[in-house]
Amino acid sequence: MVNDSKNKIKTISILVPTPSPVPYSYALRADQTAGPGSIVQVPLGPRQVSGLVVEDLPDAKPIDPAKLREVTQVFDCPPITPDMLRFIDWVAKYTLSAPGMVARMVLRSPTAFDPEPPTKGIVATGTQPERLTDARRRVMEQVAEEPQMAWTRSGLAHATGVTTSVIDGLTKLNVFSEIEIPARPIVAKPDPSFGEPELIGDQRDVAEGLAATVSEQKFSVTLLEGVTGSGKTEVYFEAIAAAINQGKQVLVLLPEIALTQVFLERFHDRFGAEPAPWHSDLAPRTRERVWRQVTEGQVQVVAGARSALYLPFQNLGLIIVDEEHDAAYKQEDRVFYNARDMAVVRAHLGGYPVILASATPSVETRHNAQEGRYKYERLDKRYADAALPTLKAIDMRKSPPQRGGFISPALIEAMQETLERGEQSLLFLNRRGYAPLTLCRACGHRFECSNCSAWLVEHRFRKQLVCHHCGHNEHVPESCPECGTFDHLVACGPGIERIAEETLSHFPDARIIVLSSDMTGGVKRLRLEMDAIAKGEADIVIGTQLVAKGHNFPNMTMVGVVDSDLGLANGDPRAAERTFQLLSQVTGRAGRTGKKSVGLLQTFQPEHPVMQAIISGDMDAFYEKQIDERERGKMPPFGRLASLIISAATRLEAEQHGRALRGAAPIAKDVMVLGPAEAPIAMVRGRHRFRILVHGDPRTNIQAYLREMISKAPRPRGSVKVQIDVDPQSFL
DNA sequence: AGCACGCCGACT
DNA sequence: GTCGGCGTGCTC
């Protein structure tokens, strides 16, 4: 705060939602009090916005006092804690985004900044009404049961079967007095001793280790790696219990909270109460109350999607990032970040532990664990009768499908057998729609998207050609738009609709359910379908990625992957890792309840390292190889590529001031960084694509990597898309 | 980011 | 004659 001695006007720095790199200054009236962390409402141009008061920048140039506008309102809200303010600053710097935009993510519940208005209630005074009617007698009897109890007017009326006017009458006679009932907590307090589990073997050791780590209350990162069915969740629940026992708040991040009812139920079984939810589909009223009660420290545990990382906890003492490898943790618009990485940062700044949990960790997390930077806990066995399925590759060259089909005889046979046993099969193909490519047999014309030049995917059910990149869609024409020939359009390759068609032709009497994100009816319908499957109301499930997560299907004993190679050859440096993770997850759907189960993977390259790793179950060897490839420059090296690009980008930012960035800066020849996979790249500013000078530091192998990328680029048009993954620890 | 202002095309 | 496209510029 700066005191203007002449006018006695207090000036304070406030982060407002603009792309400005610095906070704005506002005037604070004498009757207002606000310091760093206070949440305020201020005028900004023609509108009112919420802002966050921060420390003044030491070298801030004073602003023309004539421009100063007054703070409209200081909210009655606990201030944002100092470690949270540092976190905002850190994230802004790291992601090269404006601090005000990061602050905006924290202040995302615009009506929650004032205390929840208490509800009006009534309580018995002890006086008896002089005249006792029948209705009044019923009310008095009810009240006599618990004389101290506070009621709402309608609540008491409802409970006793009278109208509210009876209650109002009694209130007038001084039988009741009006009181204010404090806002009711959004969730009950979790009880660490509610449903203590019986942990066995290494589960107990790991749980004890985690609890000890939590009790230390200092920064650490632990990788909790456990195969599906090993009891990972139960084990980290013990860490949560330890944090609750210490009076700390806990944040559990989940990739897609809207779909994970299962998690809430398991939490309830363990702690006797659900955690407070946080995700983008939350009803505004609920969102508001959760925000408020988190910042007041009333809510003990939050289970949320990535945006929950920006909740202003009062007293956070543990963060758990479940399925830490999941790509849903990446935010790729506005402020670019990976919530897993930022969770590590937040825990570091706050001085408490974070646990990263996964059956198939990301390569960088695995590497950090192996190098000893992270603690490393493993659960290698399945428990509770769950056995890993027997996995086999089906070599499509040796066991090809029928002409025009995509399912090999071996897989059809396995489905037949499963059907005969009265058990369920899952066919997995990670491609929505009917066919990924349509072409004209007469002239060879391919249907491409006019915006993105990607192939248009036929959705036969909707009778449309759809671009899966931008959403553009058009009707399937009857003739070729290029040569005009009728009836010569041909669908190439399979999507799940087509697999469903083929499956139906083999098993016309089976009950088949198709699950994909373009199913009509949204999340609700999806949940219903999942429940139906779990209850055994389907024989064959055909689905995309959606089926890889969430629900357990107790009767599912066969998983067939239609195209295991899909995703291996798309130029993404993480292709192998992603495919490995997805295939582990999908095949892990089978045999969760002890029945003998199989996973069959159709592939054209059974010798591929990913396929080998999946079939053999030798994860360690797979990770070794991935780490090795990165270190040899075949993949982005940990942190270093990113840090170089950051430094280049930061320099550009400095040089820029206004418009320099528009005319691209010099560059290592032909390299263009189109956009960040996550944080750091400068492009963030607007829609421009930035050319980055990668100045060759001989200690790194960036140039080798980029050269390799360029040489491999399928259409070398002078640019190459580079995806960046960053290890935040190298910046801490 | 959000919003206003401003200048050119098809329409109540 | 107006509605509406998005280009440009500004916000303490």
Side-chain angles (χ1 to χ4, degrees):
Chain A
M1 258 179 264
V2 172
N3 280 304
D4 187 313
S5 52
K6 273 180 279 178
N7 304 320
K8 297 261 187 213
I9 292 176
K10 261 190 272 172
T11 307
I12 54 174
S13 295
I14 297 177
L15 293 180
V16 287
T18 76
S20 164
V22 290
Y24 281 180
S25 304
Y26 283 86
L28 196 66
R29 291 199 311 270
D31 63 311
Q32 293 172 318
T33 329
S38 297
I39 300 172
V40 294
Q41 188 185 41
V42 291
L44 181 70
R47 65 211 162 109
Q48 292 283 325
V49 296
S50 31
L52 180 61
V53 181
V54 291
E55 298 276 2
D56 297 314
L57 293 171
D59 53 348
K61 36 188 182 309
I63 178 176
D64 176 8
K67 275 175 112 181
L68 269 191
R69 294 172 79 181
E70 221 173 61
V71 172
T72 314
Q73 190 191 165
V74 181
F75 289 107
D76 179 10
C77 181
I80 302 297
T81 55
D83 66 316
M84 191 63 188
L85 293 178
R86 280 189 295 148
F87 180 57
I88 291 171
D89 191 53
W90 202 99
V91 172
K93 287 208 167 76
Y94 181 76
T95 61
L96 297 182
S97 37
M101 299 312 294
V102 181
R104 200 180 70 135
M105 299 196 292
V106 179
L107 309 181
R108 277 217 340 206
S109 192
T111 50
F113 308 142
D114 277 322
E116 258 187 85
T119 40
K120 289 231 173 72
I122 50 170
V123 69
T125 57
T127 42
Q128 293 292 322
E130 284 173 16
R131 261 192 306 167
L132 208 55
T133 64
D134 191 41
R136 284 180 176 180
R137 188 182 44 76
R138 267 182 289 160
V139 172
M140 295 318 290
E141 276 169 6
Q142 174 68 232
V143 165
E145 278 179 26
E146 245 185 289
Q148 301 299 313
M149 181 156 162
W151 292 86
T152 59
R153 272 166 75 241
S154 57
L156 183 55
H158 195 80
T160 53
V162 303
T163 61
T164 49
S165 61
V166 177
I167 311 290
D168 289 341
L170 289 170
T171 306
K172 241 183 217 142
L173 293 172
N174 239 353
V175 174
F176 292 111
S177 64
E178 286 187 332
I179 53 155
E180 293 194 332
I181 303 175
R184 138 187 85 88
I186 186 116
V187 283
K189 285 257 182 283
D191 173 6
S193 56
F194 180 83
E196 284 178 14
E198 277 181 39
L199 299 177
I200 43 175
D202 55 354
Q203 287 182 331
R204 187 189 305 159
D205 301 337
V206 173
E208 280 169 10
L210 290 180
T213 299
V214 168
S215 303
E216 279 177 36
Q217 277 302 303
K218 59 178 207 219
F219 171 68
S220 66
V221 188
T222 305
L223 167 60
L224 173 58
E225 179 181 314
V227 296
T228 34
S230 64
K232 221 178 334 120
T233 312
E234 282 74 13
V235 165
Y236 75 62
F237 276 171
E238 295 319 295
I240 297 177
I244 295 174
N245 280 331
Q246 295 211 317
K248 295 290 180 182
Q249 288 175 295
V250 178
L251 169 63
V252 184
L253 293 179
L254 302 166
E256 264 147 80
I257 178 83
L259 288 174
T260 51
Q261 194 58 37
V262 192
F263 175 86
L264 301 181
E265 284 159 18
R266 283 168 82 179
F267 191 95
H268 189 281
D269 290 344
R270 172 63 186 84
F271 294 103
E274 285 197 357
W278 185 266
H279 52 85
S280 53
D281 299 332
L282 226 52
R285 184 92 183 93
T286 315
R287 167 185 217 77
E288 202 174 290
R289 296 180 60 205
V290 172
W291 194 95
R292 182 78 200 182
Q293 294 184 17
V294 165
T295 191
E296 283 174 351
Q298 289 182 52
V299 160
Q300 197 97 27
V301 182
V302 174
R306 60 169 185 256
S307 60
L309 188 63
Y310 297 94
L311 284 170
F313 289 88
Q314 205 50 242
N315 185 26
L316 192 57
L318 172 65
I319 304 178
I320 291 172
V321 185
D322 202 358
E323 308 293 343
E324 68 86 29
H325 64 277
D326 201 296
Y329 285 123
K330 290 181 179 184
Q331 171 146 93
E332 302 194 89
D333 60 315
R334 297 174 179 162
V335 179
F336 290 58
Y337 67 90
N338 183 325
R340 178 248 290 155
D341 293 341
M342 295 309 105
V344 171
V345 171
R346 186 164 181 186
H348 182 258
L349 294 174
Y352 44 80
V354 52
I355 297 171
L356 310 179
S358 177
T360 52
S362 60
V363 172
E364 62 273 18
T365 298
R366 191 57 149 63
H367 178 72
N368 281 330
Q370 281 169 222
E371 294 286 297
R373 292 167 93 185
Y374 293 175
K375 297 184 190 180
Y376 193 5
E377 303 281 8
R378 285 175 70 152
L379 297 165
D380 291 326
K381 280 182 290 200
R382 276 191 163 190
Y383 288 94
D385 298 333
L388 288 166
T390 313
L391 300 181
K392 280 189 208 127
I394 299 177
D395 188 336
M396 295 301 273
R397 294 166 304 193
K398 292 184 190 148
S399 175
Q402 277 176 19
R403 218 180 138 62
F406 300 91
I407 310 176
S408 77
L411 187 48
I412 292 167
E413 195 185 309
M415 290 165 77
Q416 179 68 47
E417 287 167 7
T418 311
L419 207 54
E420 281 164 8
R421 285 198 308 271
E423 296 169 350
Q424 289 173 316
S425 302
L426 169 66
L427 280 192
F428 171 78
L429 174 64
N430 203 10
R431 195 189 278 131
R432 291 148 50 214
Y434 186 84
L437 168 67
T438 307
L439 54 79
C440 169
R441 254 178 308 163
C443 72
H445 172 75
R446 297 169 170 211
F447 285 80
E448 287 186 2
C449 175
S450 43
N451 307 332
C452 358
S453 75
W455 289 345
L456 292 174
V457 180
E458 179 184 352
H459 285 237
R460 190 159 285 192
F461 190 66
R462 277 152 56 188
K463 298 193 174 96
Q464 279 181 328
L465 294 170
V466 181
C467 172
H468 283 185
H469 285 269
C470 66
H472 162 84
N473 60 74
E474 50 193 72
H475 268 284
V476 184
E478 288 171 12
S479 65
C480 173
E482 190 75 24
C483 66
T485 315
F486 278 83
D487 298 328
H488 271 64
L489 300 182
V490 52
C492 301
I496 56 164
E497 289 180 12
R498 196 170 195 174
I499 294 301
E501 186 181 273
E502 188 178 343
T503 307
L504 198 60
S505 76
H506 289 288
F507 305 104
D509 300 323
R511 296 166 301 169
I512 299 176
I513 288 187
V514 180
L515 289 180
S516 84
S517 59
D518 42 27
M519 190 173 72
T520 53
V523 172
K524 234 184 185 173
R525 161 94 187 279
L526 199 65
R527 249 188 235 151
L528 288 176
E529 297 281 1
M530 295 262 200
D531 286 344
I533 296 166
K535 277 191 228 136
E537 288 166 22
D539 302 312
I540 299 170
V541 180
I542 300 170
T544 61
Q545 250 191 98
L546 279 181
V547 296
K549 337 186 159 184
H551 240 92
N552 275 347
F553 305 123
N555 202 30
M556 190 164 282
T557 56
M558 206 288 285
V559 172
V561 181
V562 175
D563 185 355
S564 304
D565 309 329
L566 182 68
L568 277 178
N570 65 4
D572 179 348
R574 279 191 188 267
E577 182 187 346
R578 290 259 157 74
T579 306
F580 171 74
Q581 288 160 342
L582 189 60
L583 292 181
S584 310
Q585 218 167 22
V586 169
T587 52
R589 297 282 95 197
R592 307 272 323 237
T593 44
K595 287 187 189 137
K596 220 174 131 230
S597 64
V598 289
L600 298 175
L601 302 123
Q602 298 194 153
T603 174
F604 282 95
Q605 32 186 332
E607 68 294 333
H608 191 285
V610 168
M611 229 51 73
Q612 290 294 316
I614 293 287
I615 302 296
S616 69
D618 189 351
M619 285 179 49
D620 291 341
F622 176 75
Y623 280 108
E624 273 326 310
K625 196 165 160 27
Q626 290 295 307
I627 290 168
D628 184 56
E629 282 196 3
R630 287 206 184 188
E631 289 182 339
R632 290 209 326 271
K634 301 268 185 194
M635 297 183 66
F638 298 101
R640 283 179 288 180
L641 173 60
S643 65
L644 258 197
I645 292 181
I646 289 173
S647 73
T650 316
R651 231 195 43 225
L652 285 178
E653 279 260 291
E655 285 170 10
Q656 163 218 4
H657 234 86
R659 58 206 162 78
L661 270 182
R662 287 186 195 175
I667 191 178
K669 224 180 292 162
D670 301 330
V671 176
M672 182 184 278
V673 180
L674 289 179
E678 39 229 57
I681 319 311
M683 28 285 42
V684 209
R685 187 168 283 290
R687 301 141 226 146
H688 307 290
R689 293 173 173 186
F690 287 79
R691 297 186 156 213
I692 304 280
L693 169 64
V694 181
H695 40 112
D697 180 337
R699 290 166 305 174
T700 70
N701 42 17
I702 281 177
Q703 291 189 329
Y705 169 68
L706 293 176
R707 228 175 282 127
E708 175 118 14
M709 290 291 293
I710 293 165
S711 70
K712 276 196 196 153
R715 290 173 294 167
R717 279 187 195 158
S719 73
V720 53
K721 184 173 175 181
V722 182
Q723 293 201 0
I724 315 296
D725 289 290
V726 188
D727 173 6
Q729 282 238 335
S730 49
F731 299 95
L732 288 175

